[in-house]
Amino acid sequence: MNSDPDPFEQGQLAARQNIPAEANPYQNGSEEHALWAAGHEKVAGPREANESEGS
């Protein structure tokens, strides 16, 4: 079993905790950075869209 953290899952967790996308801990341009951002966007994207509809 792989015990390394999954950047995609870390990004999803960060979005659920309302951590901004700018807090991505991985080096810009790396595969991990892209995975973290994709995970964050998967969770935060729909949430941010719903928030903007109410304003």
Side-chain angles (χ1 to χ4, degrees):
M1 182 161 180
N2 189 354
S3 63
D4 291 339
D6 180 356
F8 186 82
E9 290 178 8
Q10 287 179 330
Q12 290 180 318
L13 179 60
R16 288 186 192 105
Q17 295 174 344
N18 294 319
I19 296 172
E22 293 79 21
N24 188 328
Y26 296 99
Q27 182 178 358
N28 195 3
S30 69
E31 182 177 351
E32 290 86 357
H33 186 276
L35 288 168
W36 192 97
H40 191 278
E41 186 174 341
K42 181 175 181 180
V43 173
R47 181 185 302 157
E48 289 173 358
N50 288 339
E51 289 175 0
S52 66
E53 288 176 5
S55 21

